[in-house]
Amino acid sequence: MRPSIDQIWDWLGEVPDPEIPAISLVDLGIIRDVGFDGDTCVVTVTPTYSGCPATSVINMEIEAALREQGLEKIELKRQLSPAWTTDWVSDAGREKLEKYGIAPPQPAGGPEKCPICASTNLELLSQFGSTPCKAQWRCKDCLEPFDYFKCI
Amino acid sequence: MADALFESLLRLGDNALILGHRVSEWCGHAPVLEEDIALANTALDLLGQTNLWLEYAGEVEGKGRSADDLAFLRDAWDFRNVLLVELPNGDFGQTILRQYLYDQFNLMNLEALKGSTDTRVSEIAEKAAKEAAYHVERSRGTVVGLGDGTEESHRRMQDALNILYPYALELFITDEVDAEMAKAGIIPDPKSLEDTYLAAVGATISEATLELPQAHFGHRGSGRDGRMHTEHLGHILTQMQWLQRAYPGQSW
């Protein structure tokens, strides 16, 4: 018996991002489509950054999660266009990021507030961070450095 | 047509590959941790872009070569990158200036490629342009900061500019491959980007309080058709390709 498309989205919503496990792949906005081609489950995934080393791990984890639910025929498709944007990070995902200590992306290009003490007195340390999708900032009040999810 | 497209995709992919490799040489050696991370991330983006271009190049060629085959199993004369990207890193200032000279071109080129009549090319460009915009923001800012910095950083940036600027002009040396691609609307003629590029670079250099040298690209051939490479490319390949050369077909 074939599971419903909604059911598959729910399962994928439980798969954590390998580098930022606080949010799921669905929260991150990289799952573009789920469907069936005959009896093959087709999941369309868009990369965050073209060189992100997590991409192949993400594909493996999607496949593993769906196999665990009993799906046998799975096809993963890569979709480059429209290019991934941080606008696709869900509201739930943004909340989870902030709780985890990562400032969520802002259209203004920098974090809105310190994810630890909520101060707005901030400075940029480096335009790049521990993963391709993050930059390093510091709070000038609580003095803690923190990750900012870059807006692209 | 397929031959010209293959050549052009190699030009795009090889520029990103060789510069990505050069920049990755800084990993663990940059002056401060933040710069080390920034350089490594820039290299990573470039290698990601390489993968997209060379994967498509392999498909267009139709001989079953993968992006990895093209990256690791070709010889120096098969590479189609400009000489700028294969030059040694020099000091940190020289690395950043080379990065800026390339980033500025890469961004303009990718923005133009978004309008390519070839869907695959336009999709790759759409993805890569976002990354390139971020790169140029950083490399441009760092060039200005170092040029308009201390006496020593200013001197080093001027020295770097004197060495690198003539190489940047190679980006606009064109041939029949470029003409064919431009005619088909697949890849813009690099010459069409020259004026805006020179204006943007000129503005950055002036903001950095540096002076553009009188320059022309002095080599008698171009890396873009593989007839000319510096002696440095072979040395890069001995590092980059040694594993596949020593253990053919080895995989993770």
Side-chain angles (χ1 to χ4, degrees):
Chain A
M1 200 128 138
R2 198 165 102 172
S4 72
I5 301 290
D6 284 348
Q7 176 65 67
I8 295 172
W9 276 103
D10 285 346
W11 288 336
L12 294 175
E14 301 291 316
V15 182
D17 175 82
E19 284 187 339
I20 311 172
I23 63 172
S24 78
L25 300 180
V26 174
D27 288 331
L28 190 58
I30 60 169
I31 311 283
R32 300 314 302 155
D33 191 43
V34 176
F36 277 94
D37 179 7
D39 56 356
T40 303
C41 176
V42 183
V43 180
T44 308
V45 187
T46 196
T48 52
Y49 285 80
S50 58
C52 184
T55 307
S56 54
V57 180
I58 285 171
N59 287 349
M60 258 165 49
E61 296 199 338
I62 291 172
E63 228 183 301
L66 296 182
R67 277 194 200 290
E68 203 168 294
Q69 299 292 347
L71 283 173
E72 278 168 13
K73 290 189 180 166
I74 301 154
E75 187 192 333
L76 292 171
K77 271 198 196 161
R78 180 185 72 192
Q79 184 181 317
L80 290 176
S81 177
W84 179 77
T85 152
T86 36
D87 296 347
W88 295 347
V89 177
S90 69
D91 288 342
R94 298 172 63 88
E95 257 177 57
K96 289 181 206 166
L97 279 175
E98 193 154 24
K99 259 195 202 149
Y100 189 63
I102 300 173
Q106 298 295 339
E112 184 192 24
K113 57 184 194 291
C114 167
I116 299 142
C117 76
S119 161
T120 54
N121 190 14
L122 312 170
E123 66 175 341
L124 172 71
L125 290 182
S126 170
Q127 277 155 309
F128 290 87
S130 55
T131 65
C133 55
K134 288 180 287 183
Q136 282 179 310
W137 283 68
R138 178 162 51 204
C139 173
K140 293 204 266 189
D141 284 332
C142 74
L143 303 181
E144 285 292 334
F146 63 88
D147 276 328
Y148 165 62
F149 208 100
K150 281 167 11 191
C151 186
I152 71 161
Chain B
M1 172 67 88
D3 285 354
L5 180 56
F6 176 63
E7 282 290 313
S8 296
L9 291 167
L10 289 184
R11 290 172 181 184
L12 290 162
D14 288 346
N15 277 346
L17 172 61
I18 298 301
L19 185 59
H21 186 82
R22 269 292 184 230
V23 175
S24 76
E25 290 172 2
W26 276 101
C27 194
H29 300 279
V32 291
L33 181 62
E34 286 78 6
E35 288 307 324
D36 204 291
I37 291 169
L39 287 164
N41 271 292
T42 304
L44 192 59
D45 284 344
L46 289 170
L47 293 181
Q49 295 173 15
T50 302
N51 198 40
L52 296 172
W53 292 126
L54 293 188
E55 180 184 57
Y56 187 31
E59 288 170 29
V60 167
E61 187 195 33
K63 293 183 184 165
R65 290 204 278 183
S66 67
D68 280 349
D69 292 338
L70 289 170
F72 297 120
L73 299 175
R74 280 180 302 150
D75 277 309
W77 48 81
D78 301 319
F79 276 76
R80 298 292 182 261
N81 57 282
V82 291
L83 308 189
L84 175 73
V85 297
E86 66 194 44
L87 296 178
N89 286 332
D91 59 17
F92 178 74
Q94 192 174 325
T95 293
I96 288 295
L97 187 70
R98 180 187 58 198
Q99 191 65 37
Y100 170 66
L101 291 172
Y102 173 80
D103 287 344
Q104 187 71 71
F105 175 79
N106 196 30
L107 178 61
M108 289 174 174
N109 196 36
L110 290 169
E111 288 294 339
L113 286 174
K114 282 202 236 171
S116 173
T117 51
D118 183 307
T119 319
R120 184 79 168 270
V121 169
S122 73
E123 286 182 359
I124 295 173
E126 183 187 341
K127 181 81 217 156
K130 286 185 156 197
E131 297 163 0
Y134 200 77
H135 294 169
V136 80
E137 191 183 310
R138 170 176 171 276
S139 59
R140 186 185 187 284
T142 314
V143 163
V144 170
L146 289 173
D148 189 12
T150 65
E151 213 171 281
E152 186 186 355
S153 73
H154 177 86
R155 177 181 54 77
R156 285 179 180 238
M157 292 309 277
Q158 187 63 55
D159 289 348
L161 186 62
N162 295 345
I163 294 169
L164 296 174
Y165 189 60
Y167 285 96
L169 304 178
E170 185 195 357
L171 292 162
F172 307 103
I173 293 179
T174 57
D175 60 12
E176 64 282 358
V177 170
D178 299 304
E180 194 177 335
M181 287 294 100
K183 202 173 156 215
I186 297 176
I187 292 170
D189 184 341
K191 280 251 175 253
S192 67
L193 305 171
E194 190 172 9
D195 289 348
T196 35
Y197 176 83
L198 294 179
V201 168
T204 302
I205 293 309
S206 132
E207 200 181 326
T209 70
L210 300 169
E211 270 184 49
L212 277 183
Q214 287 288 333
H216 69 283
F217 180 67
H219 292 274
R220 282 171 181 271
S222 165
R224 300 180 79 245
D225 59 17
R227 271 175 234 163
M228 167 84 209
H229 279 292
T230 64
E231 68 272 30
H232 308 296
L233 181 62
H235 292 276
I236 295 176
L237 299 187
T238 61
Q239 296 277 316
M240 193 177 84
Q241 299 182 331
W242 78 267
L243 199 141
Q244 279 303 317
R245 299 293 187 179
Y247 306 96
Q250 192 64 260
S251 64
W252 291 109

